[in-house]
Amino acid sequence: MNRRNFLRGTAILTCGLLPGTPPVSATQVQAFSLSAEPGQAQLVPEEYPATDVWGYNGLVPGPELRTRQGETLHVTVRNRLPEETTVHWHGIRLPNAMDGVPHVTQPPIAPGSAFTYEFPLPDAGTFWYHPHMNSIEQVGRGMYGALIVEEPDPPTVDRELVWILDDWRLDMDARIVEGFDNRHDLSHGGRIGNAVTINGEFPDIFRTRSGERIRLRLINAANSRIFALEFPSHEPQVIAIDGHPVPPHPADSGVVTLAPSMRMDLILDMTGSPGQKFPVVDRYYRQSAYRLIDLAYEEAPLRANLPDHGIQLPANPLPEPDPESAIIRTVELEGGAMGAMDGATLNGKWQDIRALVRQGKFWAINGTVSDGHVLDPLQHLKPGQSMVLDMRNNTAWPHVMHLHGHAFRVLARNGEPTRFREWQDSVLVERHETVQIAFVADSPGDWMFHCHMLGHQMSGMMSLIRIKA
Ligand code: C2O
Ligand code: CU
């Protein structure tokens, strides 16, 4: 099914060429159009009916937007949903006005109207797009797509694949179960589904040949589900996390862990023999491990020896935080079921936990519960300043903290320095874990900082960092 590339953009060359003067800079603009609208998708096997979804161009996932590093992305989004929406370009370092946060960076796109986003793409990598309005429901109904920014000179592979992982809560007629804001989900691990899809389809068999080298771009678009994928008898090499290159290395204990909104680029060398079959297993929730897909080897090998081309990606042009001058801030993640929070500030007023729960609020950051996107900043920074956030998860649940418009280095976990000081834009903070991150506040504006478990985000776990001269 080649729904991926049919919108491949019209390339408009916009360089200010005057006769007789050499071109100063030639920027290639990739133009796309997206329509947020209802549609149908066959999410589960054919014995079930298709599911009513919301999608970009009615599709799940939405069209893949594929561009090159240094190009400018131009996307017109038309809203044909029955409610307001926006599009957030997750992980892209862009001007604040293009970030897609309703009431903060733009007015919401009303039903029947449109908004045009345009911004340059400084970094290569695997990114994605999704609404930032009523996200728990809009993303939950299928609104998301991949945004792939290619390196000028990508590593040589036989095949490149994008797998967008999602999970759905469906009834026996494959209808989406309503009640996105049910309190049990909000106060616990979020809305976990009962049907996992890859690119909007029920995964079954992935056909390959021995000797094949695959670049696999994984994106976790699920509302709350964390994936921990094992590839038995294979040794996937991680080459990028959240789009940003990392020295190639085997996944920790052979398990590829991906919290909501995170991406991982893998090089998968197909080392099995012709005719063999290996299940890829998701073991994050140990009681309910399941087979995601089978890697099935065809009879004819592709080649006898594995390719030995380099797989290290060139670094993205990220500003290096300065630990000496950095402002250090503790970030306490609080609340939730089995938590110790007795109250927190909501809309400027301290309220006890029962009052918060009555308003559907369960989570706080540094004692403050968010209500919508318009918030008092957690932190003010001057452009160029370095910042260290020392996050502590004081809750009984994992969270995945995402910062808009920047990439941060993950410096330490539970006080132990990380192996690669990975660049990420979203980081999993396990229950009772501490994680230290650092970044340079190089882009002026109001940037959201929130848990990407969408039920946690809507029930209080969101804040904002203001960067202003
Ligand atoms: Cu992927 Cu604030 O979002
Ligand atoms: Cu959370």
Side-chain angles (χ1 to χ4, degrees), residues 88 90 128 130 132 402 404 450 452:
H88 171 59
H90 185 114
W128 65 299
H130 63 79
H132 219 282
H402 169 50
H404 283 210
H450 64 86
H452 218 290

Side-chain angles (χ1 to χ4, degrees), residues 300-350:
L302 180 65
R303 60 170 71 82
N305 298 309
L306 286 170
D308 61 355
H309 314 288
I311 54 172
Q312 168 119 33
L313 297 169
N316 280 325
L318 295 162
E320 190 63 54
D322 171 27
E324 299 296 301
S325 66
I327 295 178
I328 302 173
R329 187 75 200 269
T330 302
V331 175
E332 311 271 359
L333 309 176
E334 299 155 331
M338 294 170 282
M341 186 167 84
D342 52 2
T345 301
L346 171 63
N347 294 321
K349 190 169 136 245
W350 193 90

Side-chain angles (χ1 to χ4, degrees), residues 31-107:
F32 300 89
S33 54
L34 295 174
S35 164
E37 61 188 40
Q40 284 211 319
Q42 188 68 44
L43 300 175
V44 281
E46 299 280 347
E47 57 260 37
Y48 295 94
T51 301
D52 288 328
V53 296
W54 289 352
Y56 291 104
N57 299 1
L59 302 172
V60 177
E64 177 182 293
L65 309 183
R66 191 171 273 266
T67 64
R68 286 212 143 187
Q69 187 172 20
E71 288 180 342
T72 289
L73 186 67
H74 176 107
V75 187
T76 301
V77 179
R78 184 154 287 284
N79 183 7
R80 295 192 173 91
L81 296 175
E83 62 182 48
E84 297 176 327
T85 192
T86 63
V87 181
H88 171 59
W89 311 93
H90 185 114
I92 302 287
R93 297 189 296 136
L94 40 57
N96 193 244
M98 295 291 115
D99 199 40
V101 178
H103 309 294
V104 176
T105 70
Q106 69 169 94

Side-chain angles (χ1 to χ4, degrees), residues 451-468:
C451 179
H452 218 290
M453 294 185 167
L454 301 173
H456 295 177
Q457 178 195 4
M458 84 171 283
S459 61
M461 200 174 265
M462 176 150 67
S463 63
L464 181 157
I465 291 180
R466 176 164 294 163
I467 303 174
K468 204 168 165 224

